[in-house]
Amino acid sequence: MRKALVTPSILSADFSKMREEFQTIKASGADWVHVDVMDGHFVPNLTFGPPVIKMFRPHSDMIFDVHLMIEEPERWIDAYKDAGADRLTFHIEACKHSHRYLAAIREKGMASGITLNPQTSPTEVEYVLEECDQVLVMTVNPGFGGQKFIEPVLEKIKILRKMIDNKGLKTQIQVDGGVNSENAQRIFEAGADILVMGSAFFKSSDKKALVEKIHNLNG
């Protein structure tokens, strides 16, 4: 039986008190920490890179699930490994040789992932699924937090679930963008394994209850 995992996105955290925010994530029972990296080129926003993540690392023993929204992600595999990334995901739209770089991420000892923007067909990853530990499906256009969930992308999740199951793979489906307690059940039923929650998590008055609700989804 599948169990939904929760990974809060620190893009929605209070950067003036990150030590406390990491403690809050841990205490909630969440599974991983999701780290969104933006370069101001691939997406119209800028966050942080390896030096900042390296400073974050001593404040949390949780899995760092790093999502690269950057151009030429292949140039930065070593840097994010050294910074403390446990899982590294890049956009298929930003890379010409995805299979090669997915393999390179695994060779460095990290879990490998590939991301699809809302408009990108799930068939784009069909022939690299064997090299993916996860496929991240964006349910908003990447670059900013707090956006509204794009409903038609649920069909993409269903298609990916069938592709993965038909191949007998253990590749997980992660969903990021506008995920909250109201739509989590439908996202899980569509086939998602990992739910990234930003605003919904950090604005919640009872984060532990929220995480428990996601962990108890069924379908």
Side-chain angles (χ1 to χ4, degrees), residues 100-136:
R100 179 185 303 168
Y101 302 124
L102 287 164
I105 290 170
R106 282 181 168 177
E107 287 170 4
K108 296 294 180 181
M110 296 177 285
S112 63
I114 200 157
T115 309
L116 299 174
N117 277 339
Q119 79 280 1
T120 305
S121 170
T123 59
E124 292 291 319
V125 299
E126 183 173 3
Y127 299 107
V128 297
L129 283 173
E130 286 81 358
E131 294 293 337
C132 295
D133 292 297
Q134 69 182 31
V135 177
L136 171 52

Side-chain angles (χ1 to χ4, degrees), residues 140-217:
V140 299
N141 290 297
F144 297 94
Q147 298 184 67
K148 185 178 178 182
F149 184 86
I150 300 174
E151 290 286 339
V153 182
L154 282 171
E155 291 303 314
K156 182 192 295 188
I157 298 169
K158 293 176 183 178
I159 293 169
L160 275 170
R161 181 81 270 156
K162 288 181 181 179
M163 288 168 56
I164 292 167
D165 291 348
N166 287 342
K167 289 176 178 286
L169 300 174
K170 295 182 179 179
T171 306
Q172 295 174 297
I173 299 174
Q174 186 177 55
V175 175
D176 184 4
V179 178
N180 55 47
S181 60
E182 285 72 37
N183 58 24
Q185 180 67 49
R186 289 185 292 121
I187 295 169
F188 182 69
E189 288 176 353
D193 303 289
I194 308 155
L195 276 59
V196 178
M197 304 185 84
S199 301
F201 177 85
F202 285 99
K203 291 181 179 180
S204 173
S205 59
D206 191 340
K207 297 174 176 59
K208 188 173 183 178
L210 174 63
V211 170
E212 288 178 353
K213 179 177 179 178
I214 303 304
H215 282 166
N216 291 325
L217 294 176

Side-chain angles (χ1 to χ4, degrees), residues 9 33-38 42-43 47-48 53 64-70 80 85 87-91 93 113-117 134 136-138 140 142-143 174 176 196:
S9 170
V33 174
H34 189 77
V35 184
D36 287 308
V37 176
M38 306 180 190
F42 182 72
V43 292
T47 55
F48 37 71
I53 295 173
F64 273 20
D65 176 43
V66 179
H67 173 200
L68 301 181
M69 288 175 268
I70 64 174
Y80 284 99
R87 307 177 69 87
L88 194 62
T89 302
F90 62 88
H91 278 254
E93 301 90 357
I114 200 157
T115 309
L116 299 174
N117 277 339
Q134 69 182 31
L136 171 52
V137 179
M138 293 300 299
V140 299
Q174 186 177 55
D176 184 4
V196 178

